Every structure is written in structure tokens, then in C-alpha cells.
């Protein structure tokens, strides 16, 4: 009998994988931005909170799609990790394609409009990435 055939064990495993991947994804995003996300959130920077919240939802959404397409926990981890790399590259592309709008600086300064766009971009692209993972 496979240990993961028990729904509670399987759910706990997926919960753990998702949590680990989201923590790792947020750590990578922290390295990607020029500002310290949690310091700005602690001080009330809504733009950073929106951008970070969008990343969290996006990362969780990618795991959601990976779970739909795969039953093995290891494969879910790998698919999700690949999706996370794509989501990080989305942020870099966003920054690159808007040379007249320094995204990182604007979010750091508290520009809520840019924070909303970054949030929507992370969530929106997570649906595209997740759908591609499902095939």
C-alpha cells in the first residue's frame, strides 16, 4: 500500500509542498526586488503588499494546477518549481518592458497603481502558466 493513498497523508504532503514552494518562491522574489518586501509591508506600504500578495496567490495557483495534472507529490513539486521560475521571469520581463516606469522603484515608493498592476500580472500569468502545466 502506498502511503499517499491515504487522503489525509496526501493532503498533508501537498500542503507541505505548497508551503515550502511558496516560501522558496517568496525568497526568490525577495532577491529579485531591490527593496525588502517584509520591511515595507510592516511599515504599511500597500503597493508592496499588493505586489507580494499577487505573488503568493500566483504561486498557490500554480501549485493548484500542478495538483490537478499530477498525482505524484514529487512531480507536483517539480512542475510547480518550474512554474515559479516562469512567474519570476514574468516580473523581470515586466520591469524590462517598461523602461520609462521603473517598477521596483515605484512599488518601493508606494505607488499603489503599479502595485495593483504587478499583482494582476502575477495572478493573471499564473493562470496561463498553470494551464500550460495541465496541458
Amino acid at each position: 500500500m502506498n502511503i499517499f493513498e491515504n487522503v489525509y497523508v496526501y493532503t498533508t504532503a501537498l500542503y507541505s509542498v505548497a508551503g515550502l514552494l511558496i516560501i522558496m518562491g517568496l525568497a526568490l522574489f525577495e532577491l529579485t526586488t531591490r527593496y525588502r518586501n517584509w520591511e515595507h509591508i510592516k511599515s504599511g506600504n500597500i503597493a508592496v503588499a499588493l505586489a507580494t500578495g499577487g505573488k503568493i496567490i500566483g504561486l498557490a495557483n500554480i501549485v493548484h494546477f500542478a495538483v490537478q495534472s499530477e498525482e505524484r507529490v514529487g512531480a507536483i513539486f517539480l512542475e510547480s518549481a518550474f512554474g515559479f521560475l516562469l512567474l519570476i521571469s514574468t516580473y523581470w520581463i515586466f520591469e524590462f518592458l517598461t523602461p520609462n516606469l521603473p517598477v521596483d522603484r515605484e512599488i518601493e515608493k508606494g505607488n499603489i497603481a503599479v502595485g495593483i498592476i504587478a499583482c494582476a500580472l502575477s495572478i493573471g500569468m499564473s493562470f496561463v502558466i498553470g494551464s500550460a502545466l495541465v496541458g
Side-chain angles (χ1 to χ4, degrees):
M1 177 176 162
N2 183 349
I3 184 174
F4 292 113
E5 288 178 8
N6 180 303
V7 68
Y8 300 110
V9 172
Y10 184 68
T11 301
T12 302
L14 291 179
Y15 175 83
S16 300
V17 164
L20 175 65
L21 285 168
I22 289 171
I23 289 168
M24 288 171 42
L26 288 175
L28 287 173
F29 277 122
E30 182 86 20
L31 294 173
T32 300
T33 58
R34 50 183 270 122
Y35 51 87
R36 296 291 151 241
N37 294 315
W38 301 109
E39 289 176 17
H40 281 273
I41 290 170
K42 185 178 178 181
S43 69
N45 186 326
I46 295 171
V48 173
L50 284 165
T52 304
K55 292 168 188 169
I56 292 169
I57 294 169
L59 294 170
N61 194 38
I62 289 170
V63 173
H64 161 80
F65 277 100
V67 168
Q68 284 187 325
S69 71
E70 186 60 62
E71 289 185 12
R72 294 170 298 151
V73 175
I76 291 168
F77 181 86
L78 292 175
E79 284 181 12
S80 298
F82 177 69
F84 289 3
L85 292 176
L86 292 177
L87 197 60
I88 289 172
S89 70
T90 299
Y91 191 79
W92 294 335
I93 292 168
F94 178 37
E95 182 80 49
F96 177 76
L97 292 178
T98 56
N100 295 331
L101 177 71
V103 175
D104 257 6
R105 283 195 191 119
E106 290 299 314
I107 291 173
E108 182 179 23
K109 288 190 315 190
N111 186 331
I112 294 172
V114 177
I116 290 171
I117 295 300
C119 177
L121 186 61
S122 291
I123 294 169
M125 287 305 292
S126 76
F127 280 99
V128 174
I129 294 165
S131 294
L133 288 173
V134 171

